[in-house]
């Protein structure tokens, strides 16, 4: 079956074939993901600047990162659960409004607590964006869910990759007031989200999106629920270890390079940019590779491909560290979209809940990791923190307990059949 590349108007949403891929909508949500995560990346990007100008400690920097991520971690699962039962398309642009206010606060923050309040607002905006936009990507995916999640998430990873470039090109010469330029990005994101919300609303009116009842999934036998729950727990532990590692690299690796090799802020941030840019490429290619070769196979590739290089990274010279950062970024992030698709297929019909849970977990793990690593850096050293981070990817070996794709599809089919039967009897 051929895919459609034309964006359907809301009124025509019902006419889309079930397996059609709506690339226009996928590109729209990916673009907003880029804008959202670019704005969010302002927070770690200003760390080298505000640490000096506002006399902040590593612990305070870790707490700022934790405030941003913890806000999103708590709110995203709740928003995802609510939106599964009562979809709210126009929450999409409203969430970006909170982000816009947070950006303004960051530009004028004069101390630790004002920065903390501003990043909470940015976190609220991300909390609204991620579960609802992931659901839009799922609806626009058709049969190509890995590709769709790859397109959606590559925007976010590209936005995160811009953080070290922003530090080098914007915040070093302009300082904290340079954040004001990002209000333009927030305004652009609001406009695009209005377009996406209109398409999403059309799908709701066409009946393409089914609201979940409070008894959804009650018909599943206890043994099935235990198997799914165990697989989700393993997936969460893998994701937690990965996000803690990413928090260590994005928040503190530049300081490590500056301390060990006596680099400037700009030079150190280039290495972090290489890591994040390679991660964005890995996220994009991981999705279609998972469609072709299997979800679990790509998850294994992301773990085994990154492990030896992550372990050796703290011990190599600067030139080699750039090469290793590129390899680690590409491999470890190749399962970025696959983890979400895998979880969605474990719990079909709960797309918003699962997306909110996993994006929220990613934010929470990153935030806790940043806070803990920041405290360790103050009490011990940056060198110790980076060497500790090198061990975190070992937790990914728990992937041996994940069910194979064939079993995953069988579980999903069983759940959908029982759900359909339950709906008929109501």
């Amino acid at each position: 079956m051929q895919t459609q590349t034309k964006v359907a108007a809301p009124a025509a949403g019902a006419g889309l074939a079930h397996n059609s891929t709506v690339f226009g909508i996928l590109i729209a949500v990916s673009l907003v993901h880029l804008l959202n995560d670019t704005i969010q990346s302002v927070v770690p990007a200003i760390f080298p600047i505000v640490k000096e100008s506002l006399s902040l400690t590593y612990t305070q920097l870790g707490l700022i990162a934790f405030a941003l991520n913890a806000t999103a971690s708590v709110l995203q699962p709740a928003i995802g659960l609510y939106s599964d039962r009562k979809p709210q398309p126009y929450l999409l642009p409203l969430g970006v409004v909170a982000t816009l206010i947070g950006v303004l606060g960051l530009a004028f923050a004069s101390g630790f607590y004002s920065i903390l309040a501003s990043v909470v607002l940015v976190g609220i905006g991300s909390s609204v964006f991620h579960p609802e936009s992931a659901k839009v990507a799922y609806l626009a995916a058709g049969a190509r869910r890995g590709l769709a999640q790859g397109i959606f998430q590559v925007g976010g990873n590209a936005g995160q990759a811009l953080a070290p470039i922003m530090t080098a090109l914007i915040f070093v010469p302009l300082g904290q007031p340079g954040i004001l330029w990002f209000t333009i990005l927030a305004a652009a994101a609001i406009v695009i989200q209005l377009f996406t919300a209109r398409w999403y609303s059309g799908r709701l009116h066409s009946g393409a999106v089914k609201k979940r009842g409070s008894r959804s999934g009650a018909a599943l036998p206890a043994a099935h629920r235990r198997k799914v729950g165990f697989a989700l727990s393993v997936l969460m532990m893998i994701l937690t270890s990965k996000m803690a590692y990413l928090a260590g690299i994005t928040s503190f690796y530049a300081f490590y390079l500056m301390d060990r090799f006596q680099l400037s802020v700009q030079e150190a941030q280039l290495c972090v940019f290489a890591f994040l840019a390679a991660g964005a490429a890995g996220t994009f290619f991981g999705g279609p590779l998972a469609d072709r070769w299997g979800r679990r196979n790509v998850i294994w590739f992301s773990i085994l491909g990154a492990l030896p290089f992550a372990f050796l990274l703290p011990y190599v010279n600067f030139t080699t560290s750039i090469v290793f950062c590129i390899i680690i970024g590409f491999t470890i992030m190749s399962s970025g979209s696959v983890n979400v698709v895998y979880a969605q297929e474990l719990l079909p019909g709960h797309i918003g809940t699962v997306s909110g849970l996993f994006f929220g977990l990613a934010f929470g793990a990153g935030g806790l990791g940043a806070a803990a690593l920041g405290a360790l850096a103050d009490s011990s050293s940056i060198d110790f923190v980076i060497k500790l981070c090198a061990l975190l990817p070992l937790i990914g070996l728990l992937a041996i307990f994940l069910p194979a794709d064939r079993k995953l599809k069988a579980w999903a089919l069983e759940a959908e059949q029982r759900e359909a039967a339950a709906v008929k009897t109501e």
Side-chain angles (χ1 to χ4, degrees):
M1 179 179 294
Q2 292 181 326
T3 58
Q4 295 180 2
T5 57
K6 183 179 180 181
V7 181
L16 286 170
H18 177 70
N19 288 330
S20 298
T21 304
V22 190
F23 284 102
I25 293 298
L26 290 175
I27 292 170
V29 293
S30 181
L31 181 57
V32 178
H33 204 176
L34 184 150
L35 297 173
N36 178 85
D37 283 28
T38 298
I39 294 169
Q40 190 173 290
S41 295
V42 166
V43 178
I46 62 172
F47 280 179
I49 307 302
V50 296
K51 186 180 187 299
E52 298 300 324
S53 64
L54 301 180
S55 302
L56 301 180
T57 65
Y58 284 120
T59 300
Q60 287 175 318
L61 294 180
L63 288 173
I64 290 168
F66 173 73
L68 171 67
N69 292 296
T71 302
S73 179
V74 171
L75 289 179
Q76 284 192 64
I79 291 172
L81 179 63
Y82 175 75
S83 69
D84 275 339
R85 296 182 176 179
K86 192 174 181 180
Q88 300 289 336
Y90 288 94
L91 274 178
L92 291 168
L94 286 176
V96 187
V97 172
T99 300
L100 175 59
I101 298 171
V103 169
L104 289 170
L106 282 173
F108 296 105
S110 58
F112 171 66
Y113 291 105
S114 53
I115 289 181
L116 211 59
S118 299
V119 300
V120 166
L121 285 171
V122 174
I124 290 172
S126 286
S127 298
V128 174
F129 168 78
H130 283 97
E132 281 294 86
S133 293
K135 186 186 291 185
V136 170
Y138 185 91
L139 288 172
R144 305 169 75 177
R145 294 176 185 171
L147 173 63
Q149 275 296 320
I151 293 172
F152 170 57
Q153 290 200 34
V154 74
N157 290 123
Q160 293 166 17
L162 291 174
I165 297 298
M166 290 188 293
T167 301
L169 300 182
I170 298 176
F171 300 126
V172 169
L174 297 180
Q176 192 177 339
I179 297 173
L180 283 173
W181 286 101
F182 294 87
T183 58
I184 298 172
L185 302 187
I190 291 171
V191 172
I192 299 171
Q193 288 293 67
L194 286 169
F195 163 75
T196 305
R198 184 170 175 265
W199 181 86
Y200 184 14
S201 180
R203 296 288 281 173
L204 284 174
H205 294 148
S206 74
V209 183
K210 295 179 175 63
K211 300 175 186 178
R212 309 299 300 174
S214 60
R215 289 178 290 175
S216 176
L220 295 176
H224 180 97
R225 292 200 298 271
R226 283 196 297 270
K227 291 176 183 177
V228 170
F230 178 74
L232 282 173
S233 298
V234 170
L235 204 58
M236 288 178 183
M237 291 182 71
I238 294 171
L239 181 62
T240 298
S241 66
K242 181 174 76 173
M243 295 310 299
Y245 179 79
L246 294 177
I249 297 297
T250 57
S251 295
F252 301 110
Y253 190 57
F255 292 108
Y256 168 80
L257 292 173
M258 292 161 61
D259 182 61
R260 184 180 178 192
F261 299 113
Q262 290 75 52
L263 303 178
S264 67
V265 172
Q266 292 95 325
E267 290 170 332
Q269 292 290 348
L270 285 176
C271 196
V272 179
F273 170 73
F275 174 85
L276 294 171
T283 298
F284 178 75
F285 287 106
L289 283 175
D291 285 337
R292 184 175 180 84
W293 302 112
R295 318 289 191 223
R296 194 175 70 164
N297 288 339
V298 172
I299 291 173
W300 267 120
F301 167 73
S302 74
I303 295 163
L304 297 179
L307 265 177
F309 299 99
F311 183 76
L312 293 172
L313 183 63
Y315 308 99
V316 298
N317 61 39
F318 177 62
T319 302
T320 306
S321 68
I322 295 177
V323 176
F324 278 23
C325 278
I326 292 171
I327 296 172
I328 297 167
F330 184 90
T331 53
I332 204 168
M333 292 305 296
S334 62
S335 65
S337 60
V338 180
N339 287 327
V340 177
V341 174
Y342 192 101
Q344 288 174 343
E345 292 179 351
L346 277 170
L347 287 173
H350 300 267
I351 306 306
T353 303
V354 169
S355 301
L357 177 65
F358 272 76
F359 282 117
L361 175 66
F363 275 87
L368 286 171
L373 294 172
L376 277 174
D378 277 331
S379 62
S380 181
S381 67
I382 283 289
D383 182 73
F384 174 76
V385 164
I386 297 302
K387 288 178 179 177
L388 178 64
C389 286
L391 303 177
L392 291 173
L394 285 170
I395 298 173
L397 295 176
L398 289 171
I400 195 172
F401 296 109
L402 290 176
D405 286 45
R406 182 177 63 257
K407 186 175 291 187
L408 186 67
K409 291 176 182 177
W411 289 357
L413 179 61
E414 179 185 353
E416 288 174 348
Q417 289 173 342
R418 289 181 178 273
E419 185 70 26
V423 170
K424 287 181 181 180
T425 59
E426 290 181 349

